[in-house]
Amino acid sequence: MSRVEELPDDFDEALNLNNAPPEVAQPGFDFFAPTNEIPFPINEAGLKARQTDPNAPELPPAIAAVQSHSSEELMAMMNKTPLFMTDIENAGDEKGENVLLDALQALQNEGTRGEVASSFKGQGNEAVQELKWIDAKEFYSKALAVIHAKVDKWEAPEDPVEEAALLRKLEEASYINRALCNLELGNYRTCTLDCAAALKFNPRNVKAFYRSSLALFKLDKVAEAEDSVNRGLAIDPESKALQESAKKIAERKALLERAAARKRAEEETARKKNMVLSTALRARMIRTRKTEQPPDLEDAKIRLVPDPLSPESTIEFPVVFLYPMEAQSDFIKAFSEMNAIEDHLDYIFPLPWDTKKEYTLDGVECFMQTVTGGLIKAGKKLPLLQILSGGKVEVVDEIVTIHVVPLSKTGKYIAEMKARKTG
């Protein structure tokens, strides 16, 4: 991740934070050279038990030290080393002591509270210069933990007033520097909280406004980002970083405003279309109803054509032909109110599954359910408008449903529908 802004006031401007830190070689030291140093004491009994080939060559001391212990023993010994320590409770020897850990903890407590916090902040600055954002964040967090610690276990300062001023300065710097780490790590919400904490100490901290604006921009909180960058520019109008941030925020704001304007226009057009369609349906005395769980018709719906904003346009309906005696169906996406049922059945027939040739224009009757659950016979030659108007039937979930039944089976169909109604 690229650098956002130089961190300390005395930072070397010649340093390019976008490049990885150079590796510093130690003179005379070969990292891959073999060594006779052993990380753990060799367990001769354990090593002998693990050797299956008596003629195998002797292992190097370092490898032998590892192989002579079980994985549980290795984890226990590694836990006594600060670098690998995960359980301080079990980090001591049989007497519960760990000299190296005690030395490190003592070193952490040497000096006054301000000196220890300053040391952690300095280590954080060094980590930032090497782009080690996680390490740097940890050091700044430690500095803040020292400052906020309720138990004072450090040396007493010679000048308490000077110490208090130092702690205040360190706290502000640690918050604003940790904000940079959180920004680079993508912890944008946490970055804004650190910036807010820094501003409590110094309301004119330009870096806090700048970094907060970047984090808010990443969160797409454009109004808040704009407010933050404007507050920073009010303090330092010549800041190039703030000016660049303000430019990006303004571009994003303009883009969002254009999108919002398009959405408002689309919503207004949709509102007008619905109003005109509703007026047209009422004028034709066509009843409609929607259920709580309408079927997914994709883009099929009741519409006015050719102009959806003109009540003089023709209404088209999605229509489903049900063949209840065969459990089959056909779907017509756009059925004009001026068309008759036979206009569509004419090209649908013959049906591919009708092996008995029962479904012909002259051999079927069409039915529709009424609002009360009864039936009406829908004339095949009548325009759909004439069938729907008058209020006897209703269009449910924007679908007109027409039952198509062979003449030979109409009696059975009607009986079944009456039984279903009374049942």
Coordinates of all heavy atoms in Angstrom, one line a residue, residues 7 124-125 128 133-134 136-145 148 171-185 187 190-195 197-198 211:
L7 N 5.1 11.2 8.2 CA 4.5 11.0 9.6 C 5.2 12.0 10.6 O 4.5 13.0 11.0 CB 4.7 9.6 10.1 CG 4.2 9.3 11.5 CD1 2.7 9.5 11.5 CD2 4.6 7.9 11.9
G124 N 7.3 3.1 17.0 CA 6.3 3.2 16.0 C 6.7 4.0 14.8 O 6.4 3.6 13.6
N125 N 7.3 5.1 15.0 CA 7.8 6.0 13.9 C 8.8 5.2 13.0 O 8.7 5.3 11.8 CB 8.4 7.2 14.4 CG 7.4 8.2 15.0 OD1 6.2 7.9 15.0 ND2 7.9 9.3 15.6
V128 N 6.9 2.8 10.8 CA 6.2 3.5 9.7 C 7.2 3.7 8.6 O 6.8 3.5 7.4 CB 5.6 4.8 10.2 CG1 5.2 5.7 9.0 CG2 4.4 4.5 11.1
W133 N 3.1 -1.4 9.0 CA 1.9 -0.7 9.5 C 1.3 -1.4 10.8 O 0.9 -0.8 11.7 CB 0.8 -0.5 8.5 CG 1.3 0.2 7.3 CD1 1.5 -0.3 6.0 CD2 1.7 1.6 7.2 NE1 1.9 0.6 5.2 CE2 2.1 1.8 5.9 CE3 1.8 2.6 8.1 CZ2 2.5 3.0 5.4 CZ3 2.2 3.8 7.7 CH2 2.6 4.1 6.4
I134 N 1.3 -2.8 10.7 CA 0.8 -3.5 11.9 C 1.7 -3.3 13.1 O 1.2 -3.1 14.2 CB 0.7 -5.0 11.5 CG1 -0.3 -5.2 10.4 CG2 0.3 -5.8 12.7 CD1 -0.5 -6.6 9.9
A136 N 3.8 -0.8 13.6 CA 3.7 0.6 14.0 C 2.4 0.8 14.9 O 2.4 1.5 15.9 CB 3.7 1.5 12.8
K137 N 1.3 0.3 14.4 CA 0.1 0.4 15.1 C 0.2 -0.1 16.5 O -0.3 0.4 17.5 CB -1.1 -0.3 14.4 CG -2.4 -0.2 15.1 CD -3.4 -1.1 14.4 CE -4.7 -1.2 15.2 NZ -5.7 -2.2 14.5
E138 N 0.9 -1.3 16.7 CA 1.0 -1.9 18.0 C 1.9 -1.0 18.9 O 1.5 -0.9 20.1 CB 1.7 -3.3 17.8 CG 1.8 -4.1 19.1 CD 0.5 -4.5 19.7 OE1 -0.5 -4.6 19.0 OE2 0.5 -4.7 20.9
F139 N 2.9 -0.4 18.4 CA 3.8 0.4 19.2 C 3.0 1.7 19.7 O 3.1 2.1 20.8 CB 5.0 0.9 18.4 CG 6.1 -0.2 18.4 CD1 6.6 -0.6 17.1 CD2 6.6 -0.8 19.5 CE1 7.5 -1.6 17.0 CE2 7.5 -1.8 19.4 CZ 8.0 -2.2 18.2
Y140 N 2.2 2.3 18.8 CA 1.4 3.4 19.2 C 0.4 3.1 20.2 O 0.1 3.8 21.1 CB 0.8 4.1 18.0 CG 1.8 4.7 17.0 CD1 1.6 4.4 15.6 CD2 2.8 5.5 17.4 CE1 2.6 5.0 14.7 CE2 3.7 6.0 16.5 CZ 3.6 5.7 15.2 OH 4.5 6.3 14.3
S141 N -0.2 1.9 20.1 CA -1.2 1.4 21.0 C -0.5 1.2 22.4 O -1.1 1.5 23.4 CB -1.8 0.1 20.5 OG -2.6 0.3 19.4
K142 N 0.7 0.7 22.4 CA 1.4 0.5 23.6 C 1.7 1.8 24.3 O 1.6 2.0 25.5 CB 2.7 -0.3 23.4 CG 2.5 -1.8 23.1 CD 3.8 -2.5 22.9 CE 3.5 -4.0 22.7 NZ 4.8 -4.8 22.5
A143 N 2.1 2.8 23.5 CA 2.4 4.1 24.0 C 1.1 4.7 24.7 O 1.2 5.2 25.8 CB 2.8 5.1 22.9
L144 N 0.0 4.5 24.1 CA -1.3 5.0 24.6 C -1.7 4.2 25.9 O -2.2 4.7 26.9 CB -2.4 4.9 23.6 CG -2.3 5.9 22.4 CD1 -3.3 5.5 21.3 CD2 -2.6 7.3 22.9
A145 N -1.4 2.9 25.9 CA -1.7 2.1 27.1 C -0.8 2.5 28.3 O -1.3 2.6 29.4 CB -1.4 0.6 26.8
H148 N -2.4 5.8 29.5 CA -3.7 5.7 30.1 C -3.7 4.7 31.3 O -4.8 4.6 32.0 CB -4.7 5.1 29.1 CG -4.9 6.1 28.0 ND1 -5.4 5.7 26.7 CD2 -4.8 7.4 27.9 CE1 -5.5 6.7 25.9 NE2 -5.1 7.8 26.6
E171 N 0.3 11.7 23.6 CA -1.1 11.1 23.4 C -1.7 11.6 22.1 O -2.2 10.8 21.3 CB -2.0 11.5 24.6 CG -3.3 10.7 24.5 CD -4.1 10.9 25.8 OE1 -3.7 11.6 26.7 OE2 -5.2 10.2 25.9
E172 N -1.6 12.9 21.8 CA -2.1 13.4 20.6 C -1.3 12.8 19.4 O -1.9 12.4 18.4 CB -1.9 15.0 20.5 CG -2.4 15.6 19.2 CD -2.1 17.1 19.1 OE1 -1.7 17.7 20.1 OE2 -2.2 17.6 18.0
A173 N 0.0 12.8 19.5 CA 0.8 12.2 18.4 C 0.5 10.8 18.2 O 0.5 10.3 17.0 CB 2.3 12.5 18.7
S174 N 0.4 10.0 19.3 CA 0.1 8.6 19.1 C -1.2 8.3 18.5 O -1.3 7.4 17.6 CB 0.2 7.9 20.5 OG 1.5 8.0 21.1
Y175 N -2.2 9.1 18.8 CA -3.5 8.9 18.2 C -3.5 9.2 16.7 O -4.0 8.5 15.9 CB -4.6 9.8 18.9 CG -5.2 9.2 20.1 CD1 -5.2 9.8 21.3 CD2 -5.9 8.0 20.0 CE1 -5.8 9.2 22.4 CE2 -6.5 7.4 21.1 CZ -6.5 8.0 22.3 OH -7.1 7.5 23.4
I176 N -2.9 10.4 16.3 CA -2.8 10.8 14.9 C -2.0 9.9 14.1 O -2.2 9.6 12.9 CB -2.4 12.2 14.8 CG1 -2.7 12.8 13.4 CG2 -0.9 12.4 15.1 CD1 -4.2 12.7 13.1
N177 N -0.9 9.3 14.7 CA 0.0 8.4 14.0 C -0.7 7.0 13.9 O -0.5 6.4 12.8 CB 1.4 8.3 14.7 CG 2.2 9.6 14.6 OD1 1.8 10.5 13.9 ND2 3.3 9.6 15.4
R178 N -1.4 6.6 14.9 CA -2.1 5.3 14.8 C -3.2 5.4 13.7 O -3.5 4.5 13.1 CB -2.6 4.9 16.1 CG -3.1 3.4 16.1 CD -3.5 3.0 17.5 NE -4.7 3.6 18.0 CZ -5.3 3.3 19.1 NH1 -4.8 2.4 19.9 NH2 -6.4 4.0 19.5
A179 N -3.8 6.6 13.6 CA -4.8 6.8 12.6 C -4.2 6.6 11.2 O -4.9 6.0 10.3 CB -5.3 8.3 12.7
L180 N -3.0 7.0 11.0 CA -2.3 6.7 9.7 C -2.2 5.2 9.5 O -2.5 4.7 8.4 CB -1.0 7.4 9.6 CG -0.1 7.0 8.4 CD1 -0.8 7.5 7.1 CD2 1.3 7.7 8.5
C181 N -1.8 4.5 10.5 CA -1.7 3.0 10.4 C -3.0 2.4 10.0 O -3.1 1.5 9.2 CB -1.1 2.4 11.7 SG 0.5 3.0 12.1
N182 N -4.1 2.8 10.7 CA -5.4 2.3 10.5 C -5.9 2.6 9.1 O -6.5 1.8 8.4 CB -6.4 2.8 11.5 CG -6.3 2.0 12.8 OD1 -6.2 0.8 12.9 ND2 -6.3 2.8 13.9
L183 N -5.5 3.8 8.6 CA -5.9 4.2 7.2 C -5.2 3.3 6.2 O -5.8 2.8 5.3 CB -5.5 5.7 7.0 CG -5.8 6.3 5.7 CD1 -7.3 6.3 5.5 CD2 -5.2 7.7 5.5
E184 N -3.9 3.0 6.4 CA -3.2 2.2 5.5 C -3.6 0.7 5.6 O -3.6 0.0 4.6 CB -1.7 2.2 5.8 CG -1.0 3.6 5.5 CD -0.9 3.8 4.0 OE1 -1.0 2.8 3.2 OE2 -0.6 4.9 3.5
L185 N -4.1 0.3 6.7 CA -4.6 -1.1 6.9 C -6.0 -1.3 6.5 O -6.5 -2.4 6.5 CB -4.4 -1.5 8.4 CG -2.9 -1.7 8.9 CD1 -2.9 -1.8 10.4 CD2 -2.2 -2.8 8.2
N187 N -8.6 0.1 8.1 CA -9.5 0.2 9.2 C -10.0 1.6 9.3 O -9.7 2.4 10.2 CB -8.7 -0.2 10.5 CG -8.1 -1.5 10.5 OD1 -8.6 -2.4 9.8 ND2 -6.9 -1.7 11.1
T190 N -12.0 2.9 12.5 CA -11.1 3.1 13.6 C -10.2 4.3 13.4 O -9.9 5.0 14.3 CB -10.2 1.8 13.8 OG1 -11.1 0.7 13.9 CG2 -9.4 1.9 15.1
C191 N -9.8 4.5 12.1 CA -9.0 5.7 11.8 C -9.8 7.0 12.2 O -9.2 7.9 12.7 CB -8.7 5.7 10.3 SG -7.9 7.2 9.7
T192 N -11.1 7.1 11.9 CA -11.8 8.3 12.2 C -11.9 8.5 13.7 O -11.9 9.6 14.2 CB -13.2 8.2 11.6 OG1 -13.9 7.1 12.2 CG2 -13.2 8.1 10.1
L193 N -12.0 7.4 14.4 CA -12.0 7.5 15.9 C -10.7 8.0 16.5 O -10.7 8.8 17.4 CB -12.4 6.1 16.5 CG -13.8 5.5 16.2 CD1 -13.9 4.2 16.8 CD2 -14.9 6.5 16.7
D194 N -9.6 7.5 15.9 CA -8.3 8.0 16.4 C -8.1 9.5 16.0 O -7.6 10.3 16.8 CB -7.2 7.2 15.7 CG -7.0 5.9 16.4 OD1 -7.5 5.7 17.6 OD2 -6.3 5.0 15.8
C195 N -8.6 9.9 14.9 CA -8.5 11.3 14.5 C -9.4 12.2 15.4 O -8.9 13.3 15.8 CB -9.0 11.5 13.0 SG -7.9 10.8 11.8
A197 N -10.1 11.5 18.5 CA -9.4 11.6 19.8 C -8.2 12.6 19.8 O -8.0 13.3 20.7 CB -8.8 10.2 20.1
A198 N -7.5 12.7 18.6 CA -6.4 13.6 18.5 C -7.0 15.1 18.5 O -6.4 16.0 19.1 CB -5.6 13.4 17.2
R211 N -6.6 13.0 7.5 CA -6.7 11.5 7.5 C -8.2 11.1 7.7 O -8.6 10.1 7.2 CB -5.8 11.0 8.6 CG -4.3 11.1 8.2 CD -3.4 10.8 9.3 NE -2.0 11.1 8.8 CZ -0.9 11.2 9.6 NH1 -1.1 11.0 10.9 NH2 0.2 11.5 9.1

